[in-house]
Structures are given as structure tokens and as C-alpha cells.
Amino acid sequence: MRKKRVLLLSEGFGTGHTQAAYALAVGLRQLSPRIQTRVIELGTFLNPVIGPLILSAYRKTVSKQPKLVGKMYRSGYHKSLNRVTQFALHRLFYNQVSDVVRQLKPDSIVCTHPFPNAVVSRLKRLGLNVPLYTLITDYDAHATWTNPEVNTYLVSSATVRNKLIARGVPPTSIEVTGIPVHPNFWHPHDRAEALAEFSLKDMPTVLVMGGGWGLLYGEELVEYMAGYAERVQLILCMGNNDKAREKLMADPRFQHRNIHVIGYTKEINKLMDVSDLLVTKPGGMTCTEGMAKGIPMLFYEPIPGQEEENAEYFVTHGFGELMTTTETIDRWFRLIQEPYASDQHRDALLALRNAEYHPAKCSEAVLALMN
């Protein structure tokens, strides 16, 4: 019997959109052997020369002018992509999407970024008869996600559901599934094995993440954390930012036996299991992975816009706290050095997670929609 095909379309503006697509793809295949998936970062796939240049320019803007990114996000917050914009996107960057769909013959399409979502919506208006599911990868609902051709929205929280309803989306077209995480985050790993794998000590440990792009804005706070290296083990994950990683490794303040500076890794799930605290930018994907692992989180310098909304959600729901001063660092670094208090706090977060989030729910929801 022919496997059902799911085409997942994303974009590389940040790493979370594509990570969510891959997490959902792997989750679907793990839950059902009858599912075949394909993940495509559409702009780069169709425009292998221009696409990476656009993403590089966006990355530089995010790192150098985050306030400008926030201003752009807010200025279009209540404006969906109109048909003229959708047509322009299609003609300039996505004019071969219909050929891709025709070749792959998907039974369902899942979009994890507003641009492919808008383009597929346009194709549906022109006659494409394939269900379109839109996975919103943050804890906010920007208007660019919304199109009347979307069959079902898969959203992170009831808050996002309510925002979509306020924009005129029928409640029956929205499912609160949570953002999917890779099955590696569904269950804990053996702590002793993970410590040995990364040559780590069994001591209070803090995981500091700069996201897939390795952007650490609050350098003075990271430097302050290094002062705890005799009592607290630090893992600094710099993603694909080799320049930032090399800079830290050359800094005498970070050349300590209990400080580990690493680049991109697919083993963040294991590092979260052996860490007692996560310090991170509040990207929707990373925060959801942290919630799935029940690890307390400190958020630094959220970019105005969706990162602010993400941080507000997790702070309000008790999963994390904004890191604005060294006092916050002192308080948390003292707590994780008290084993009983640290274990009690993590147990409380796991109970809270179980009440608000199930890691496999999004994959299960898509399977149910396809049956």
C-alpha cells in the first residue's frame, strides 16, 4: 500500500522554523510506518544562489539591528500578506512551487513559515486540492500566518488560538498542539552515559545557548557566569557561529577545566538532561525543547517581537525568568548548587509541563487529520 506523503515547507529565517518541520517529520514517521515525509527550505531550494544571500542579510540585520527587526514585526502585526504581495513572492522566489508539488504528489502540506504558507495558499486558490496545515512556531500569532485557504492551524498555546480567533479564524480550524520537538526530547537519557559522552563532570551545570546562529548579545553577563567556574560547570553552545566560538575559546576567562565551548550539535537533548539550568534566547523552538525537558530557563535580551512574546509566555507560565542583572544569575547559580532544592524545582516544572504540554501531541494531531 502506498505510503501517505507529507510535504513540510519552511524557510531559514532563524533555525526554529526548519527545526520544527524536521521534528514533526521525524515524529510522524516514528508514530506511523505508513508516513513518508520531505522537508524543504523553499527559498534556498528554489534559489540556491539568491536564497542564502537573503538569509545572510537577514542574519546580519538580526545581530546588528534587532530593534529594527522588532519594528518591522510590529508594523505589520495586524496585516496579512495581501494577494499582491503573495503574487510578488510567487513570481520572484517561488515560481516553481507548483512543479515541486506536482512532482512530489503530497497528500498533505505543512508550512512552518509564513512565506511558503502564503504561496501554497495562492496555489490552492488557483485549484490545488491538497490539505494545508499551518504550524505556527512561536507563542504569538502575527497576521502574516493567516490565510483563508489554510485547513487547520496547529498552534503552541490557547493564547495563540484566541489571537487567531480574534483575527477571524474559525475556532474549528485551530488545534492547540504545542510546537513539536524531536522524539529525542520526548524521554530522558541516561545521565551517566551522557556525562561520559561529553567528558563532563557530575556537578551543577548550566547550558548557555546562542541559538542556531550562535548569537550571544549579553557578553558581560556570560563573562560574569565564568566567575562561577570553580563551583558551576558551563557549556557554551555557539551553534554555527564559528567566529564567536573561536573568540570565546581564545579568551583566557573561558579557558577553565569546567567551561566547555562547543559549536553546532544535534545532541542538545542530552545536554539539557545533564544540565540544571538553561540560559538562552527565547526562540520558540528552544524554549519548547527546554519545557519538554523540564529545565528551568533564563532568557537574555529577547528581540522585540516574537521573542518578547515567547519570553512573556514562559515567564508567565512559570517555566523561566528574564535575566537582566547579575543578581538573577547569583540567585539561580546558588539554587542549582543545592541538590535538594534544584531537584524539587525540576520535578515541579515536569509536573507543570505534563499539565500544559505533551511532546508527541502535534505529530498525533497531524496523523489524525490525515485519516
Side-chain angles (χ1 to χ4, degrees):
M1 186 173 67
R2 175 183 176 274
K3 290 185 176 182
K4 290 190 175 182
R5 298 174 180 175
V6 182
L7 175 60
L8 300 103
L9 301 178
S10 180
E11 281 297 358
F13 294 94
T15 59
H17 301 288
T18 303
Q19 283 182 336
Y22 277 113
L24 179 56
V26 176
L28 288 170
R29 296 197 305 270
Q30 183 157 316
L31 291 174
S32 173
R34 299 186 300 105
I35 296 292
Q36 181 179 359
T37 63
R38 176 73 181 272
V39 177
I40 298 177
E41 281 191 345
L42 205 52
T44 301
F45 179 77
L46 296 177
N47 302 277
V49 176
I50 298 176
L53 293 176
I54 294 173
L55 296 179
S56 178
Y58 175 77
R59 175 178 173 174
K60 289 179 181 177
T61 303
V62 170
S63 61
K64 303 294 184 183
Q65 302 183 59
K67 290 184 179 179
L68 175 61
V69 175
K71 187 176 181 179
M72 293 169 60
Y73 183 88
R74 292 299 181 196
S75 67
Y77 189 74
H78 296 290
K79 303 173 186 176
S80 59
L81 295 176
N82 58 44
R83 294 196 176 190
V84 174
T85 305
Q86 291 185 25
F87 177 72
L89 279 172
H90 188 272
R91 289 298 297 270
L92 291 173
F93 303 108
Y94 301 109
N95 58 341
Q96 301 174 58
V97 173
S98 56
D99 295 334
V100 172
V101 174
R102 192 179 306 114
Q103 287 181 344
L104 297 179
K105 297 181 174 62
D107 297 288
S108 301
I109 298 175
V110 179
C111 290
T112 63
H113 188 277
F115 286 178
N117 182 60
V119 172
V120 174
S121 293
R122 182 175 181 275
L123 292 180
K124 283 176 67 70
R125 287 200 304 275
L126 297 175
L128 177 66
N129 187 25
V130 178
L132 171 59
Y133 308 132
T134 297
L135 170 58
I136 298 179
T137 53
D138 283 299
Y139 290 78
D140 193 20
H142 196 282
T144 52
W145 285 102
T146 59
N147 288 286
E149 293 76 22
V150 174
N151 295 86
T152 304
Y153 292 88
L154 311 168
V155 303
S156 56
S157 66
T159 301
V160 175
R161 180 179 186 273
N162 292 336
K163 288 184 177 183
L164 289 179
I165 292 172
R167 295 190 188 283
V169 177
T172 53
S173 298
I174 310 168
E175 290 201 30
V176 179
T177 62
I179 298 172
V181 294
H182 192 283
N184 287 339
F185 289 86
W186 294 3
H187 308 289
H189 297 81
D190 183 88
R191 178 178 175 83
E193 290 181 5
L195 288 172
E197 180 178 344
F198 294 99
S199 300
L200 298 171
K201 295 178 181 178
D202 189 4
M203 63 184 292
T205 300
V206 175
L207 174 61
V208 182
M209 292 183 60
W213 288 348
L215 301 177
L216 289 178
Y217 299 103
E219 291 185 5
E220 66 282 354
L221 294 177
V222 177
E223 293 167 2
Y224 184 80
M225 293 180 207
Y228 275 89
E230 285 295 328
R231 294 163 287 165
V232 174
Q233 185 169 233
L234 290 177
I235 307 169
L236 304 173
C237 185
M238 303 309 299
N240 291 310
N241 195 334
D242 292 335
K243 184 178 180 180
R245 179 174 58 84
E246 291 169 3
K247 178 182 176 183
L248 283 179
M249 292 178 69
D251 190 328
R253 290 169 294 189
F254 295 93
Q255 294 172 356
H256 190 282
R257 63 186 180 280
N258 292 334
I259 297 179
H260 307 262
V261 182
I262 64 175
Y264 176 78
T265 175
K266 293 184 178 180
E267 307 289 353
I268 289 296
N269 53 301
K270 295 181 181 178
L271 292 175
M272 286 187 181
D273 278 335
V274 300
S275 298
D276 304 287
L277 179 66
L278 172 63
V279 178
T280 181
K281 293 282 290 177
M285 194 68 201
T286 300
C287 291
T288 305
E289 291 171 346
M291 177 172 62
K293 287 298 187 182
I295 184 171
M297 294 178 276
L298 295 184
F299 307 121
Y300 61 89
E301 296 191 6
I303 296 173
Q306 65 266 46
E307 284 196 354
E308 285 183 335
E309 298 295 330
N310 295 340
E312 181 178 350
Y313 175 85
F314 284 97
V315 171
T316 302
H317 287 74
F319 290 100
E321 182 178 339
L322 286 172
M323 184 180 69
T324 54
T325 67
T326 56
E327 186 277 329
T328 308
I329 296 173
D330 291 336
R331 177 160 41 82
W332 277 96
F333 277 44
R334 285 196 300 267
L335 185 144
I336 65 173
Q337 292 180 69
E338 301 172 9
Y340 179 77
S342 183
D343 290 345
Q344 288 288 100
H345 188 79
R346 192 148 192 173
D347 288 344
L349 287 183
L350 287 170
L352 187 59
R353 178 210 67 183
N354 293 339
E356 302 218 3
Y357 178 75
H358 188 285
K361 188 174 180 180
C362 190
S363 301
E364 293 171 346
V366 173
L367 281 179
L369 289 168
M370 294 180 65
N371 290 332

